Amino acid sequence: MMKKYDAIVVGAGHNGLVTACYLAKSGLDVLVVEKHDYIGGAAVSLELYDGWKYSNCSYVCSLFRPEISRDLELYKYGLQVIPYGGGGVLMENGDHLAALSDHDAARQEIARHSKKDSEAYDRYSANLMRQCKFIKPLLMRTAPDPTSFKPRDLQELLYLGKRFHGLSEPEMYEMARFWTMSVVEFLDEYFESDVMKAWIAGTGIIGTALGPCSPGTAYVLLHHYMGEVDGNIGAWGFARGGMGSITKALADCLKDKGGEIRAGSGVENILVKNGRAVGVALENGDEFYSDTIISGMDVKRTFLKTMETKHLPDDFVRQVKRFKIRGSSGKLNIALDGLPEFPQLPEGSQVTRGDFHFTDSVERMERAYDDWKRGTWSKDPYLDVLIPTQIDPTMAPEGKHYMTVFVQYAPYDLADGEVWDDKNREAFAESTISLISKYSPNFRDLILHKEVRTPLDIEEKAGLTEGNIFQGELTFDQLLFNRPVPGYAQYRSPVKGLYMCGSSTHPGGGVMGAPGANAAREILRDMGAGRQTGRQAA
């Protein structure tokens, strides 16, 4: 007789594993099913070249909620995040802007480019932190349904109202403007130098099918700023051993609590009977049963690819189809025979010990976006470049290095009938390598191996529709009670017993874990388990 589980989670990405860990911690018999023969989704570490370990998709750690790490005691399972210091912009004129952690040194460095910008930087940081302080407590709370008269929804709306009315009148106006502004409009209110605005604006476009002048990109900047490492807000770091260390720790935690993972075959169909989810049918023919199915896949894959739409309301299906998940970026992972030289940087510079860029004006960034709109990859792309092995030597042999390059922009669908074949994939990679080589004369000669990931590759290998790293755009129309669909923003679906826990749900994408923890809390509440997983009161 086929075993029946208390809960089945579809997808062993970080959110699915977080949900599974919390459910197993509450004493439930949990099964996680995963398409690939490895776990991790977009948070993986794979060795594709002998001796080198790549963070193949996500590549830096900051957003993962510390509440979750503490609750699940992930340090016991080897998770270690190493903060990095440094970063900046290498400029076309041979100069650079260094990002420095020391406050006075940072002010002096900014003053080299603009005294006005140096004086404005503290005001900018304080105002951004004020936005961050407002939104951060909402990350681990279930978004209220503003059309509902249920006591919990009314309580949450009251909570939001109190927080908003706790602001001064100017702060209220500023917040209302901020959520719909472009990142350029926001930065223009503080800074005058092109390089200063370009340095910060990149965070507002990463992973987003919008340009720096597009409304809504100011919030994307804030979304990236809300992370922390060792209690330092806005700081970033490397998970020792690559991003797969996060999902490995979660998987070990799950197994330690009695959970089970079956990898190597994806879900062909979510089984529904009499309006209720009853199990999953895998591509290899296996079937597993449970009254509680939780999908870590994005909303389009869940409801349009692995379910028969006859089980769903027509209006719900229409809204899922309208949900914006657009591919806009690619990735290169590169094994290097040594450390690249950047002659324009002074000896001992910390720039290459963090994330560094080559786009020194917002105009160049917008032109890169214009290429995407025309259906091709950017000829002068915005690159987010890191060399993790300077801080984490476990990712490459001694004396060798690993470089991760996030590339903005690259469309999922190419124009003029072109497809992502080997020729176009190589041309896309060459646009990136050529740009880096302009600043590093020995870079090309150091390349031993490269992995190229177009949006199509990210979709196929990480299970993200169109390669969208957030499982859906982070624009205001797709946040809070609108994410993913109005009326279904509380991790439940129209099918009884079927839940969502992926980044298509509140509070959105990045390796954060909050959607997984929030979903687990709602599932346990429905089950009457009486256990709390987050920081929200019952």
Side-chain angles (χ1 to χ4, degrees), residues 144-202:
D145 182 348
T147 68
S148 168
F149 291 99
K150 293 179 181 178
R152 284 185 60 230
D153 289 312
L154 294 174
Q155 182 181 344
E156 281 301 296
L157 287 170
L158 181 62
Y159 172 81
L160 281 173
K162 284 182 177 179
R163 288 190 60 78
F164 187 71
H165 286 285
L167 303 173
S168 67
E169 187 172 325
E171 288 171 346
M172 289 183 187
Y173 289 133
E174 179 65 22
M175 182 161 292
R177 291 177 63 242
F178 177 84
W179 280 60
T180 55
M181 292 176 78
S182 74
V183 68
V184 169
E185 290 172 319
F186 178 62
L187 296 177
D188 279 346
E189 297 185 357
Y190 300 92
F191 307 115
E192 64 178 7
S193 68
D194 287 339
V195 68
M196 189 67 183
K197 287 186 278 191
W199 170 44
I200 300 173

Side-chain angles (χ1 to χ4, degrees), residues 166-472:
L167 303 173
S168 67
E169 187 172 325
E171 288 171 346
M172 289 183 187
Y173 289 133
E174 179 65 22
M175 182 161 292
R177 291 177 63 242
F178 177 84
W179 280 60
T180 55
M181 292 176 78
S182 74
V183 68
V184 169
E185 290 172 319
F186 178 62
L187 296 177
D188 279 346
E189 297 185 357
Y190 300 92
F191 307 115
E192 64 178 7
S193 68
D194 287 339
V195 68
M196 189 67 183
K197 287 186 278 191
W199 170 44
I200 300 173
T203 315
I205 63 165
I206 283 181
T208 303
L210 297 170
C213 297
S214 303
T217 47
Y219 174 77
V220 181
L221 165 69
L222 177 65
H223 188 85
H224 284 103
Y225 195 79
M226 288 187 292
E228 60 185 270
V229 177
D230 292 337
N232 297 312
I233 306 299
W236 290 82
F238 300 117
R240 186 174 177 85
M243 291 298 283
S245 298
I246 296 174
T247 45
K248 181 182 183 302
L250 287 166
D252 289 344
C253 173
L254 174 63
K255 293 171 185 175
D256 199 29
K257 299 182 188 311
E260 182 181 348
I261 300 175
R262 290 183 180 245
S265 184
V267 170
E268 179 75 26
N269 194 24
I270 295 173
L271 303 175
V272 178
K273 186 176 181 180
N274 298 326
R276 163 178 270 287
V278 296
V280 294
L282 305 189
E283 293 167 346
N284 65 4
D286 290 343
E287 293 187 359
F288 298 97
Y289 301 97
S290 174
D291 291 334
T292 301
I293 309 297
I294 310 107
S295 174
M297 300 181 292
D298 65 64
V299 66
K300 288 184 182 288
R301 278 181 173 255
T302 300
F303 298 106
L304 304 181
K305 296 287 184 68
T306 58
M307 288 192 68
E308 298 179 59
T309 55
K310 68 181 182 181
H311 299 302
L312 301 166
D314 292 341
D315 184 58
F316 178 83
V317 173
R318 281 194 296 271
Q319 292 187 79
V320 168
K321 289 179 178 179
R322 286 200 298 260
F323 187 71
K324 298 193 297 286
I325 304 182
R326 299 177 293 189
S328 64
S329 46
K331 182 104 186 306
L332 266 68
N333 296 297
I334 304 173
L336 297 171
D337 198 28
L339 194 63
E341 298 170 358
F342 294 93
Q344 70 192 86
L345 296 177
E347 187 176 350
S349 172
Q350 297 295 299
V351 167
T352 62
R353 293 182 67 84
D355 54 326
F356 59 101
H357 323 288
F358 307 105
T359 303
D360 56 3
S361 72
V362 172
E363 181 183 355
R364 286 178 64 190
M365 206 176 290
E366 189 70 26
R367 287 203 304 266
Y369 179 51
D370 290 339
D371 287 337
W372 180 87
K373 287 184 288 186
R374 288 190 287 265
T376 185
W377 58 88
S378 302
K379 302 306 181 286
D380 179 23
Y382 173 83
L383 307 180
D384 192 34
V385 182
L386 295 104
I387 308 175
T389 38
Q390 295 179 94
I391 296 170
D392 177 12
T394 68
M395 301 186 73
E398 186 175 356
K400 312 299 181 182
H401 286 278
Y402 157 60
M403 177 185 282
T404 169
V405 187
F406 187 88
V407 186
Q408 194 82 13
Y409 297 81
Y412 177 75
D413 293 310
L414 297 174
D416 302 324
E418 292 285 332
V419 296
W420 280 114
D421 55 17
D422 290 342
K423 175 178 69 73
N424 282 326
R425 186 178 285 105
E426 190 60 33
F428 164 68
E430 179 57 29
S431 68
T432 296
I433 293 169
S434 295
L435 180 57
I436 299 174
S437 297
K438 284 176 59 177
Y439 298 84
S440 176
N442 72 332
F443 171 68
R444 190 182 293 272
D445 293 337
L446 293 174
I447 297 174
L448 299 174
H449 175 267
K450 68 180 184 293
E451 179 194 24
V452 182
R453 286 195 165 192
T454 68
L456 179 62
D457 296 320
I458 295 173
E459 178 181 70
E460 292 176 346
K461 296 174 183 177
L464 301 173
T465 294
E466 290 204 14
N468 185 284
I469 65 172
F470 297 130
Q471 283 197 1

Side-chain angles (χ1 to χ4, degrees), residues 22-61:
Y22 275 120
L23 298 182
K25 183 181 177 182
S26 296
L28 301 183
D29 189 8
V30 182
L31 170 67
V32 178
V33 292
E34 166 58 40
K35 177 178 182 178
H36 295 290
D37 56 6
Y38 55 87
I39 61 130
V44 292
S45 301
L46 298 177
E47 185 174 315
L48 301 183
Y49 188 67
D50 190 29
W52 272 260
K53 192 178 292 182
Y54 294 164
S55 285
N56 302 75
C57 195
S58 61
Y59 54 101
V60 284
C61 184

